[in-house]
DNA sequence: AATACGGGGTT
DNA sequence: AACCCAGTATT
């Protein structure tokens, strides 16, 4: 039996219900694919629903304020996706009358749309015969075909694209692509794959040679830098605080934060001199370290050690934001969670 | 070709 | 603690 027939047969019996599979609307499919980049279905699902409800069409998304998009994206990570999402929505809405490109090559020109996403949209929305190669496809094909190339090497992708292009069903490319990804997510999982009832065990090189644990081959480990962040939470008698937007090319671009001291060495900071230096006009009554233990927050390339300082002042912070309005802004999730953990009354009493 | 970019779930 | 997730853009 042909590979694609066997795979699709498995899919029809085992596929997940996913809302973006109930439509051929390129906008909804594009939205789902951007959200799902490096993101588990379970994590992305509520964001997909929220975006589609808030912005039912590409025109609604194009007309949105970037800050609102960033706030809705809050907690999903890889925030350049949200910025590129907005840029592409504007392009589709204003330059193309809301019409998405209908083929792989033209989809590839959109911001935030790379080889995987272009192939996914081209096949799923427009039935083009273009194979997707994502983490699932790497794993499934590496095992079944016994491919030992290092999947973290950028040159390896071509090898898998070529194989996948030979395997894809020419009649049902959309179904095939979703099938191979579901198969990787459900059956051929990274750890403890379900080989006992797998339809491919007779063909699977990794299974036949007892190499399931060793495939795919992934070399190269990311080095994680330690970084030390101290945030200053000013609070005046009107319950206003100071926030700022991160505009530099760095983590959390375009999100908001409290005034910060940020360094890559674990040295003590002198809060008083920093305040005098950076905020000489603000006289403060009280400085309190709100978390005696570092808050640890792990990113893909950085391990953050975070302190939050409360600075009570009796002077009015003119450019401040009312505490109750903080939820109108997108914050890094670690800051958002800390804000929600605080009891405002307790803070103002000090 | 290598690196940066989030946050969370699994093992 | 390591691994990985429906990857992309930048260097």
């Amino acid at each position: 039996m042909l590979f694609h027939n066997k795979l699709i047969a498995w899919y029809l019996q085992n596929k997940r219900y996913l809302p973006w599979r109930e439509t051929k609307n390129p906008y909804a499919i594009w939205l789902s694919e951007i959200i799902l980049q490096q993101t588990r279905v379970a994590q992305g699902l509520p964001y997909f629903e929220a975006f589609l409800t808030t912005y039912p069409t590409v025109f609604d998304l194009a007309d949105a304020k970037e800050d609102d998009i960033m706030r809705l994206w809050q907690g999903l990570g890889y925030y350049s996706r949200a910025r590129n999402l907005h840029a592409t929505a504007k392009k589709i809405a204003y330059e193309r009358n809301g019409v998405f490109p209908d083929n792989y090559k033209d989809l590839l020109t959109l911001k935030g749309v790379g080889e995987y996403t272009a192939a996914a949209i081209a096949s799923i929305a427009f039935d083009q015969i273009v194979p997707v190669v994502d983490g699932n496809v790497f794993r499934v094909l590496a095992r079944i075909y016994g491919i030992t190339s290092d999947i973290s090497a950028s040159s390896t992708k071509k090898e898998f694209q070529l194989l996948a292009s030979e395997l894809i069903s020419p009649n049902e490319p959309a179904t095939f692509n979703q099938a191979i990804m579901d198969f990787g997510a459900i059956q051929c999982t990274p750890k403890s794959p379900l080989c006992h009832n797998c339809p491919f065990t007779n063909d699977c090189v990794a299974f036949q040679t007892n190499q399931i644990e060793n495939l795919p081959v992934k070399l190269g480990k990311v080095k994680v830098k330690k970084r030390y962040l101290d945030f200053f939470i000013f609070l005046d008698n009107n319950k206003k605080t100071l926030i700022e937007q991160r505009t530099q090319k760095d983590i959390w671009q375009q999100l908001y934060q409290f005034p910060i001291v940020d360094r890559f060495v674990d040295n003590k900071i002198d809060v008083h001199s920093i305040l005098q230096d950076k905020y000489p006009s603000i006289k403060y009554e009280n400085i309190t370290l709100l978390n005696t233990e570092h808050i640890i927050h792990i990113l893909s390339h950085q391990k953050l050690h975070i302190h939050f300082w409360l600075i009570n002042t009796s002077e009015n912070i003119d450019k401040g934001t009312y505490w109750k309005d903080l939820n109108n802004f997108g914050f890094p999730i670690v800051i958002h969670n800390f804000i929600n953990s605080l009891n405002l009354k307790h803070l103002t009493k000090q």
Side-chain angles (χ1 to χ4, degrees), chain A residues 3 6 139-146 183 188 193 195 198-212 215:
Chain A
F3 179 90
K6 198 179 284 190
R139 185 170 57 256
V140 170
L141 296 186
R143 284 175 176 166
I144 296 180
Y145 289 89
F183 184 77
C188 195
C195 300
C198 174
F200 292 104
T201 45
N202 287 336
D203 325 307
C204 181
V205 172
F207 182 79
Q208 294 296 335
T209 59
N210 200 24
Q211 291 296 308
I212 288 288
L215 291 177

Side-chain angles (χ1 to χ4, degrees), chain A residues 83-114:
Chain A
R83 301 192 299 271
N84 287 332
L85 189 80
H86 195 203
T88 292
K90 287 189 202 174
K91 177 174 178 175
I92 301 293
Y94 304 145
E95 296 176 23
R96 299 180 53 94
N97 296 315
V99 179
F100 274 83
D102 65 354
N103 63 83
Y104 177 81
K105 178 173 161 292
D106 292 336
L107 284 161
L108 213 43
T109 67
L110 302 176
K111 281 187 181 178
V113 175

Side-chain angles (χ1 to χ4, degrees), chain A residues 55 64-73 86 245 254-256 328-330:
Chain A
Y55 309 114
K65 284 186 293 185
E66 178 167 277
D67 275 5
D68 289 335
I69 292 176
M70 299 308 292
R71 184 173 52 83
L72 206 53
W73 199 271
H86 195 203
Q245 192 168 30
Q254 300 305 111
L255 295 184
Y256 287 82
N328 294 331
F329 299 85

